[in-house]
Amino acid sequence: MINWVRHAFESTALTLASAVLFVGFFQLNDWAFSIFEYSEGISWVFLPAGFRVILVLVLGLPGALGLMLGSWFIDRDLFTQDGATLAFLNGVVGGLTPWLVLKYLTYRQWLSPHLQSLNVLQLLNMTLIFAAASAVAHQLVWLLLERPHMNIWVDIWPMFVGNALGALMMLYGFKFVLDRVSQQKSQQTH
């Protein structure tokens, strides 16, 4: 029983930390890349897409749930208006799409379930598949809910590019940092 409580507490903490970090990266993206905004909700560079990939790769379902909670927080103003369904589904799509992509790729054995054994090509493929799945899922939700001024055949491409560029920037940025940390540790041991 104690292990179950500890696991539940850890999962909850990871979920909440993921939500806070996602909201922070969303605000950072808005500040740094607002000039690349294609339309409301779509940017040519979307760093949080990379954070979605990282959180799901590292944390799994708690990361995905944190992304969902973070998305709901970002869209919180829509919950008081006529857009509650849109806000709810945006969160579900934003949080669960990367997790479902990861599960599907792992099930098909196109991706290793162990983070250490991911190679550059697998990470690139996963990022592009996630960017496409996320763009399609968001656009379908917006189409089904008849979001005004929306054209799925046009809007899907900037969202895909923004997700892919943002994810690649984040992943290579983290790789750069991890390589530097590894080099410093290596130098300290010699």
Side-chain angles (χ1 to χ4, degrees):
M1 179 72 171
I2 298 297
N3 285 336
W4 181 84
V5 171
R6 184 175 58 89
H7 178 70
F9 178 76
E10 288 173 356
S11 293
T12 302
L14 290 173
T15 298
L16 293 175
S18 298
V20 169
L21 289 170
F22 180 71
V23 169
F25 270 89
F26 189 89
Q27 291 173 344
L28 172 68
N29 190 83
D30 193 40
W31 173 78
F33 296 107
S34 62
I35 61 169
F36 295 116
E37 188 172 275
Y38 168 77
S39 67
E40 184 181 352
I42 302 173
S43 179
W44 286 102
V45 177
F46 191 62
L47 290 179
F51 205 63
R52 285 178 178 154
V53 174
I54 291 167
L55 282 174
V56 168
L57 277 173
V58 174
L59 301 177
L61 187 58
L65 294 175
L67 292 170
M68 190 167 51
L69 289 175
S71 293
W72 288 341
F73 179 79
I74 291 165
D75 289 340
R76 67 190 175 277
D77 292 339
L78 292 175
F79 281 109
T80 60
Q81 302 168 358
D82 295 333
T85 303
L86 175 64
F88 177 78
L89 290 176
N90 265 345
V92 170
V93 165
L96 295 183
T97 298
W99 183 73
L100 291 172
V101 166
L102 177 67
K103 289 296 179 188
Y104 178 76
L105 293 176
T106 303
Y107 170 77
R108 299 290 298 188
Q109 298 179 346
W110 294 341
L111 190 67
S112 171
H114 304 290
L115 193 56
Q116 302 89 333
S117 60
L118 285 178
N119 63 40
V120 174
L121 185 59
Q122 286 177 320
L123 200 54
L124 176 64
N125 286 338
M126 183 192 152
T127 301
L128 294 176
I129 292 168
F130 157 72
S134 180
V136 167
H138 275 96
Q139 292 297 318
L140 286 175
V141 164
W142 296 350
L143 179 69
L144 292 173
L145 296 178
E146 299 176 359
R147 188 172 179 209
H149 312 295
M150 193 223 137
N151 182 346
I152 190 170
W153 302 114
V154 175
D155 295 343
I156 200 166
W157 299 109
M159 184 173 268
F160 168 74
V161 170
N163 284 340
L165 285 177
L168 291 171
M169 288 172 67
M170 287 287 295
L171 291 169
Y172 283 107
F174 276 129
K175 181 176 176 11
F176 176 80
V177 169
L178 290 174
D179 287 348
R180 294 303 158 270
V181 168
S182 177
Q183 284 178 353
Q184 286 180 350
K185 284 183 180 181
S186 168
Q187 290 173 354
Q188 290 173 355
T189 59
H190 291 299

